[in-house]
């Protein structure tokens, strides 16, 4: 007799569980996605001990009849795909028919479901049905997964702390809520509510529930369309950034996916409006024919293959860039010290204009601060942040029992419209200089403080960016003393490989014996007196990145050159020099931030100043 046998279904389910069910968050994902596929408008998730003790998901979807309820635990049982043709037109989140089978095989599961006509109650242990009887008639499904991994101790050992596992689930629920604003979600952990959305289809409300009203108000909507794709969503203003890329959530036809190139397109859209290594908060929705999006890449379905990718990336980058450019504005004076000023005085965080209903705003502000302080202390302590949850994502949600969805909704509705008005660079009149560092300039509505160093960096950056963008062979100048460079053999190899890229930015290397190079000339516009340092820095840059990307190298070169000789702090300028600086700044593409993304100027409105002096209320 041969040795090969078809393995029994129970064993193969357990093996598949290793692939699909990695941790409590993966169980939540599969169960909630099933609830979404079932057409639910309300989905509640209850966790005990981050889901390791119990995960319960209750939905109000279509439910199942008795036969379906019993078969749903078999491997490859699915109501979502019937033939091969369907595989290329996937509209549901699930389709492999393995989740329930896998989860049931590694837990003690209870399923209560009803399609409104009959009700079914099933209990399983390790994938085997132990109880089966009629159940209540409430339409929808209620699944409890208890003692996850009770029969796979090795898997249980891999679980991190409660906080880490919980962090993964919160992150997941946030994305599911963002991906489905038309569904009302709740997430409760050991009885404490961590997320609540209202299910009214308002993405900004979901953003507020996750990142706080204050941040949600600093996000602007965008929309664009190409031949094959539609994109829409919200992006944060450049002043609201995070240290991790994790706050950019992408959804393709409603499914949350990760896509490196799409993330890159978003970051590129911000260009130099973002500080280095900072990233925006984004909810991006991509819609296109399911034929164009292949989700059948991995069982967890996070990855996706997109057809006509270049067209889509261009659409995303251009739409977001236009949006950002349209709303970019001068940062306003913002007071941080909460304690020193009573909450009622904190109005300026909304940059009010006298038109606003001050009393209403005060009421909101007071509420916000109260809620935030209460919430902060009641949040579970989070240990060292994991990949998916960083400290900053622990912005306390403003939604609590004492501050239900409706309130957050109302607060959002009162967001002043001014965030979406494009602000042209103001015509400023120089008043003077402070500490040899800041220029004071006035206009009709208040005055500005301008960081002279940042201003000059911006001007120079734009100048060099243009120059580096098209190195002209006629604009060369010989060095008085040629520079020689000696490198290790492998480094020399890298430089030889990248010679065209170096030449594109004005560094001309000539071979000079083994592993040595000489530079005899450079573009005449290289910053005077700093030529040698610039050339060395650029070579260094190529050596560290190994394979230079011309676009990035140009950017780095322009930033490098703009920093070199900008007027530093503590440098006194004449009135004429200040006038020239402001005139040049006015010409800049983006006069509002320096190439590192820091603000160049800050606005103090007359109203704000009068408020501080208590001339107005
Ligand atoms: P898949 O989602 O890939 O089809 P699952 O194992 O997750 O596979 O679910 C198997 C089947 O069970 C689904 O196709 C669906 O018909 C049914 N099902 C699971 N969860 C629910 C639910 N919450 N409401 C209604 N039907 C459900
Ligand atoms: Mg499923």
């Amino acid at each position: 007799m041969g040795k090969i046998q078809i393995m029994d279904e129970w064993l193969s389910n357990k093996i598949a569980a290793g692939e699909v069910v990695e941790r409590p968050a993966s169980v939540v994902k599969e169960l909630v996605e099933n609830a979404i596929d079932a057409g639910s408008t309300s989905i509640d998730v209850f966790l005990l001990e981050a889901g390791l003790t119990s995960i319960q998901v209750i939905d109000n979807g279509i439910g199942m009849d008795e036969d379906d309820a019993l078969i749903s635990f078999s491997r490859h049982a699915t109501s979502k795909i019937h033939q091969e043709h369907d595989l290329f037109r996937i509209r549901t989140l699930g389709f492999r028919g393995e989740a329930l089978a896998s989860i049931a095989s590694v837990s003690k599961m209870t399923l209560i479901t009803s399609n409104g006509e009959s009700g079914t109650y099933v209990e399983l242990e390790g994938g085997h049905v132990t109880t089966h009887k009629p159940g209540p008639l409430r339409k929808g499904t209620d699944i409890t997964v208890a003692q996850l991994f009770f029969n796979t101790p090795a898997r249980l050992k891999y679980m991190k702390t409660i906080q880490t596992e919980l962090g993964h689930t919160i992150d997941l629920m946030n994305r599911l809520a963002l991906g489905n604003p038309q569904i009302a979600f709740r997430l409760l952990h050991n009885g404490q509510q961590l997320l609540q959305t209202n299910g009214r289809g308002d993405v900004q409300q979901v953003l507020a529930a996750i990142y706080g009203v204050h941040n949600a108000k600093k996000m602007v909507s965008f929309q664009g369309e190409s031949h094959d794709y539609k994109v829409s969503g919200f992006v944060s203003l450049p002043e609201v950034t995070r240290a991790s890329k994790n706050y950019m959530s992408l959804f393709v036809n409603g499914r949350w996916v990760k896509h490196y190139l799409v993330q890159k397109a978003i970051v590129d859209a911000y260009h130099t409006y973002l500080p280095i290594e900072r990233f925006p908060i984004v909810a991006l929705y991509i819609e296109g024919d399911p034929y164009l999006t292949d989700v059948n890449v991995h069982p967890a379905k996070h990855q996706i293959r997109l057809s006509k990718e270049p067209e889509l990336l261009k659409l995303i980058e251009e739409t977001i860039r236009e949006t950002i450019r349209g709303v970019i504005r001068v940062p306003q004076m913002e007071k941080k010290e909460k304690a020193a000023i009573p909450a009622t005085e904190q109005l300026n965080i909304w940059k009010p204009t006298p038109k606003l209903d001050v009393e209403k705003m005060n009421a909101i502000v007071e509420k916000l601060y109260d809620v935030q302080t209460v919430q902060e202390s009641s949040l579970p302590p989070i240990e060292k942040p994991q990949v998916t949850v960083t400290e900053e994502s622990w912005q306390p949600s403003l939604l609590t029992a004492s501050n239900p969805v409706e309130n957050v909704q109302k607060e959002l509705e009162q967001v002043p419209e001014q965030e979406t008005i494009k602000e042209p660079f103001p015509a400023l009149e120089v008043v003077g200089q402070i500490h040899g560092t800041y220029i004071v300039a006035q206009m009709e509505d208040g005055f500005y403080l301008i960081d002279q160093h940042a201003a000059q960096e911006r001007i120079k950056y734009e100048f060099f960016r243009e120059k580096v963008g098209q190195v002209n062979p006629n604009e060369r100048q010989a060095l008085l003393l040629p520079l020689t460079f000696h490198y290790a053999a492998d480094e020399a190899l890298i430089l030889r490989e990248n010679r065209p890229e170096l030449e594109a930015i004005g560094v001309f290397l000539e071979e000079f014996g083994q592993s040595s190079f000489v530079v005899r000339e450079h573009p005449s516009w290289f910053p005077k007196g700093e030529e040698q340092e610039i050339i060395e820095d650029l070579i260094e840059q190529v050596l560290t990145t190994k394979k230079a990307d011309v676009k990035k190298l140009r950017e780095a070169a322009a930033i490098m050159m703009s920093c070199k000789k900008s007027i530093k702090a503590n440098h006194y300028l004449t009135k004429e020099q200040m006038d020239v600086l402001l005139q040049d700044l006015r010409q800049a593409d983006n006069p509002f931030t320096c190439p590192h993304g820091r603000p160049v100027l800050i606005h103090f409105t007359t109203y704000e100043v009068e408020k501080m002096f208590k001339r107005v209320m």
Side-chain angles (χ1 to χ4, degrees):
M1 200 176 112
K3 294 195 189 91
I4 298 181
Q5 288 179 25
I6 302 288
M7 73 169 77
D8 82 21
E9 180 173 308
W10 179 81
L11 187 59
S12 77
N13 285 342
K14 235 173 131 176
I15 292 173
E19 222 181 315
V20 184
V21 192
E22 205 186 339
R23 53 179 7 134
S26 1
V27 173
V28 175
K29 175 174 190 291
E30 295 298 335
L31 297 182
V32 172
E33 288 191 344
N34 280 346
I36 296 171
D37 285 346
S40 310
T41 56
S42 148
I43 300 174
D44 291 341
V45 178
F46 301 90
L47 306 176
L48 292 179
E49 303 312 317
L52 289 166
T53 301
S54 151
I55 298 169
Q56 184 179 24
V57 177
I58 304 178
D59 70 45
N60 64 351
I62 54 174
M64 289 178 261
D65 65 16
E66 187 182 356
D67 289 348
D68 279 354
L70 285 170
I71 204 179
S72 65
F73 300 102
S74 317
R75 189 111 193 268
H76 303 308
T78 180
S79 54
K80 300 167 192 173
I81 286 198
H82 299 289
Q83 36 187 312
E84 187 184 334
H85 163 84
D86 297 340
L87 199 50
F88 301 99
R89 289 208 145 266
I90 289 167
R91 288 222 176 253
T92 49
L93 295 168
F95 59 86
R96 289 170 179 263
E98 37 186 40
L100 281 190
S102 303
I103 296 166
S105 74
V106 291
S107 68
K108 299 182 180 177
M109 194 190 257
T110 309
L111 166 74
I112 305 167
T113 187
S114 167
N115 56 5
E117 284 160 20
S118 66
T120 308
Y121 179 103
V122 186
E123 268 177 29
L124 300 97
E125 197 170 317
H128 302 288
V129 176
T130 53
T131 312
H132 166 209
K133 56 184 186 189
L137 276 181
R138 185 197 76 92
K139 190 172 168 197
T141 302
D142 172 349
I143 295 187
T144 304
V145 174
Q147 296 181 46
L148 185 62
F149 302 131
F150 80 101
N151 55 356
T152 50
R155 175 64 67 169
L156 199 54
K157 255 199 215 140
Y158 275 108
M159 292 306 110
K160 305 257 168 56
T161 61
I162 297 279
Q163 277 84 1
T164 304
E165 295 305 332
L166 181 61
H168 283 287
T169 302
I170 294 175
D171 188 48
L172 167 88
M173 286 296 291
N174 288 347
R175 319 275 184 175
L176 288 167
L178 268 179
N180 299 277
Q182 76 291 354
I183 298 176
F185 286 96
R186 279 202 304 159
L187 172 66
L188 282 97
H189 179 240
N190 296 344
Q192 189 198 359
Q193 184 160 292
L194 300 178
L195 177 73
Q196 182 184 18
T197 64
N198 65 15
R200 291 195 202 132
D202 177 352
V203 174
Q204 210 171 15
Q205 188 270 328
V206 182
L207 288 166
I210 297 171
Y211 302 114
V213 174
H214 182 67
N215 285 320
K217 283 195 311 177
K218 293 192 171 172
M219 296 187 69
V220 286
S221 66
F222 63 89
Q223 221 167 1
E225 203 169 324
S226 68
H227 186 66
D228 298 287
Y229 288 105
K230 263 190 196 161
V231 298
S232 62
F234 281 83
V235 285
S236 61
L237 294 172
E239 63 201 77
V240 180
T241 59
R242 293 287 179 268
S244 146
K245 289 186 185 164
N246 213 30
Y247 299 83
M248 296 188 262
S249 305
L250 322 175
F251 303 90
V252 175
N253 292 335
R255 183 193 296 277
W256 171 45
V257 298
K258 293 178 181 164
H259 198 284
Y260 170 75
L261 288 175
V262 171
Q263 280 191 340
K264 188 172 170 303
I266 297 172
V267 173
D268 286 350
Y270 278 80
H271 196 52
T272 56
Y273 292 116
L274 279 182
I276 285 167
E277 289 306 309
R278 302 288 297 180
F279 304 94
I281 303 177
V282 176
L284 167 65
Y285 302 89
I286 301 171
E287 274 165 71
D289 192 305
Y291 269 114
L292 295 173
T293 59
D294 179 5
V295 290
N296 199 9
V297 185
H298 182 269
K301 308 181 211 90
H302 276 320
Q303 276 132 22
I304 188 159
R305 263 189 228 116
L306 298 166
S307 308
K308 311 213 179 175
E309 197 176 80
E311 170 195 322
L312 175 63
L313 296 178
K314 188 161 164 261
L315 171 68
I316 293 170
E317 189 175 334
E318 281 175 2
T319 308
I320 297 182
R321 173 168 300 145
E322 281 311 301
T323 306
I324 298 296
R325 282 187 174 227
V327 296
I328 205 74
R329 56 203 179 90
V330 187
Q332 308 273 313
M333 180 194 65
E334 183 163 333
K335 283 205 285 293
K336 284 273 189 293
E337 346 70 289
K338 252 201 284 193
I341 309 150
T344 42
E345 298 285 314
Q346 297 236 350
L347 269 177
N348 41 29
I349 61 169
W350 273 288
K351 301 141 204 106
T353 61
K355 275 177 277 166
L356 278 174
D357 182 342
V358 176
E359 236 171 63
K360 239 189 221 165
M361 294 293 283
N362 272 337
I364 295 167
V365 173
E366 254 175 334
K367 174 129 53 70
L368 278 180
Y369 281 95
D370 280 341
V371 173
Q372 257 173 347
T373 27
V374 175
Q375 270 290 95
E376 257 154 14
S377 53
S378 59
L379 267 176
I382 186 104
E383 49 146 39
K384 177 123 181 60
Q386 289 288 306
V387 241
T388 46
V389 175
T390 69
E391 261 156 0
E392 282 166 306
S393 72
W394 280 89
Q395 302 254 354
S397 160
L398 291 169
L399 286 163
T400 58
S402 59
N403 188 30
V405 183
E406 286 65 33
N407 287 353
V408 171
Q409 184 66 32
K410 258 186 245 143
E411 282 154 19
L412 275 173
E413 279 161 9
Q414 288 169 19
V415 176
E417 275 297 293
Q418 56 179 334
E419 315 255 278
T420 50
I421 298 167
K422 184 177 167 87
E423 191 156 346
F425 191 74
L428 299 175
E429 180 202 343
V430 171
V431 177
Q433 195 187 19
I434 312 177
H435 299 318
T437 305
Y438 303 106
I439 298 171
V440 184
Q442 64 179 351
M443 59 175 301
E444 248 171 61
D445 178 25
F447 65 93
Y448 284 79
L449 275 185
I450 296 129
D451 179 335
Q452 64 192 36
H453 176 60
Q456 209 188 29
E457 266 188 15
R458 166 53 64 179
I459 296 162
K460 290 182 144 205
Y461 164 74
E462 292 194 6
F463 169 80
F464 288 118
R465 188 179 59 182
E466 193 166 320
K467 287 293 188 188
V468 185
Q470 36 186 303
V471 171
N472 183 342
N474 302 325
E475 285 184 310
R476 289 206 197 171
Q477 190 172 327
L479 276 158
L480 236 43
L481 283 176
L483 302 171
T484 49
F485 298 96
H486 308 281
Y487 291 102
D490 55 335
E491 290 176 325
L493 217 60
I494 296 174
L495 292 180
R496 265 181 219 118
E497 269 174 20
N498 289 288
R499 196 184 276 161
E501 285 78 10
L502 280 162
E503 285 184 0
I505 54 166
V507 176
F508 311 107
L509 294 179
E510 256 177 61
E511 295 278 351
F512 192 62
Q514 243 197 341
S515 305
S516 295
F517 299 90
V518 62
V519 174
R520 298 181 197 280
E521 52 182 6
H522 59 78
S524 47
W525 44 263
F526 266 29
K528 297 275 165 293
E530 323 236 349
E531 297 88 348
Q532 179 168 348
E533 208 181 316
I534 294 272
I535 293 168
E536 282 168 3
D537 286 355
L538 289 173
I539 291 178
E540 193 58 38
Q541 176 99 8
V542 169
L543 285 176
T544 45
T545 49
K546 297 206 167 60
K547 180 79 200 99
D549 168 316
V550 176
K551 211 173 140 203
K552 278 201 192 132
L553 202 56
R554 283 192 172 132
E555 178 83 17
I559 292 182
M560 207 181 272
M561 292 175 195
S562 65
C563 297
K564 283 279 187 257
K565 256 181 111 182
S566 292
I567 4 167
K568 299 279 174 324
N570 280 316
H571 182 101
Y572 289 89
L573 302 174
T574 63
K575 168 100 174 24
E576 287 67 36
Q577 286 170 321
M578 290 189 265
D579 282 336
V580 170
L581 189 68
L582 290 194
Q583 267 163 31
D584 288 349
L585 191 59
R586 241 182 113 83
Q587 307 298 322
D589 263 0
N590 165 16
F592 303 112
T593 54
C594 84
H596 304 96
R598 289 190 292 269
V600 169
L601 63 172
I602 293 176
H603 187 190
F604 294 77
T605 64
T606 308
Y607 177 68
E608 282 159 348
V609 175
E610 287 181 346
K611 257 188 72 58
M612 282 188 275
F613 284 108
K614 305 225 177 286
R615 284 160 161 267
V616 292
M617 281 313 285

